Amino acid sequence: MIRMATEDDLAAIMRIENESFSAPRWTEENYRSMIFRGEAKVYPLIGVAEIENGIAGFIAAHVLSGEECHLESIAVAAAFQRRGIARALVQWLLTQAGPVPCLLEVRESNEPALALYRGLGFSSIGRRKNYYTHPTEDALVLRTLP
Ligand SMILES: CC(C)(COP(=O)(O)OP(=O)(O)OC[C@H]1O[C@@H](n2cnc3c(N)ncnc32)[C@H](O)[C@@H]1OP(=O)(O)O)[C@@H](O)C(=O)NCCC(=O)NCCS
């Protein structure tokens, strides 16, 4: 089941974040500031995939109401990968955001993520040179139509 994250999920989100990414990215405070606190013109939200004893993955995004959605982060704990959890998280986000385009950046070497996004109808619309560090790498910018 996918549901909105609460402050109680932050420790689990940080565990999955830290095991999933090569470079330090977001702190617990960053994620805390992204917990959904009601709709506004621009609002953040985090969804979590709940399992029996905790959460298996999360998705974090910003929604610009009626205009655009930006997927900021998604990760699934290694033990729960390849079960359709990331696909369910992205589909949940697209439903939450409504009929607006969704954009994201992804390392160009991240084949699992690229396969995930392409399978959900995202296509590449550009590149950001040296967007990532540790290791330095370009980002591909992907977008889906509503
Ligand atoms: C990318 C990631 C979120 C995918 O999570 P997941 O729950 O395993 O993905 P799903 O099971 O929903 O897979 C959906 C589709 O994505 C593709 N995919 C997922 N993992 C893949 C892999 N290791 N190799 C190739 N394709 C893969 C497949 O097309 C898959 O469909 P299929 O299983 O029917 O073939 C996960 O590997 C992860 O957390 N990686 C580390 C963090 C990261 O890179 N996040 C993305 C940042 S942009």
Side-chain angles (χ1 to χ4, degrees), residues 20-21 74-77 80-88 105-107 110-113 115-117 132:
S20 300
F21 295 101
I74 180 171
V76 172
F80 296 97
Q81 290 181 0
R82 291 316 283 268
R83 300 183 189 189
I85 292 176
R87 186 187 291 122
E105 284 88 20
V106 55
R107 280 186 186 269
N110 193 341
E111 293 295 343
L116 165 72
Y117 299 137
Y132 294 104

Side-chain angles (χ1 to χ4, degrees), residues 67-136:
E67 289 184 35
E68 186 180 301
C69 160
H70 194 228
L71 198 171
E72 311 281 4
S73 185
I74 180 171
V76 172
F80 296 97
Q81 290 181 0
R82 291 316 283 268
R83 300 183 189 189
I85 292 176
R87 186 187 291 122
L89 284 163
V90 177
Q91 287 170 334
W92 176 87
L93 172 65
L94 298 178
T95 303
Q96 293 289 321
V100 295
C102 184
L103 285 111
L104 60 87
E105 284 88 20
V106 55
R107 280 186 186 269
E108 64 176 340
S109 67
N110 193 341
E111 293 295 343
L114 282 165
L116 165 72
Y117 299 137
R118 292 204 164 112
L120 286 164
F122 286 78
S123 46
S124 182
I125 58 161
R127 168 184 295 272
R128 297 197 202 286
K129 195 80 189 149
N130 297 336
Y131 183 80
Y132 294 104
T133 56
H134 306 94
T136 301

Side-chain angles (χ1 to χ4, degrees), residues 2-63:
I2 315 292
R3 61 163 172 80
M4 288 282 187
T6 69
E7 303 238 344
D8 292 343
D9 297 311
L10 288 171
I13 288 171
M14 286 313 296
R15 264 199 307 279
I16 298 170
E17 163 82 17
N18 289 331
E19 78 169 34
S20 300
F21 295 101
S22 61
R25 296 173 4 125
W26 289 11
T27 64
E28 186 163 328
E29 281 318 303
N30 294 145
Y31 281 111
R32 191 183 308 281
S33 73
M34 290 201 62
I35 301 263
F36 179 74
R37 298 181 203 282
E39 277 197 34
K41 181 64 186 163
V42 184
Y43 62 92
L45 81 174
I46 303 177
V48 290
E50 198 165 39
I51 48 168
E52 213 170 306
N53 295 312
I55 68 164
F58 68 89
I59 188 164
H62 279 103
V63 178

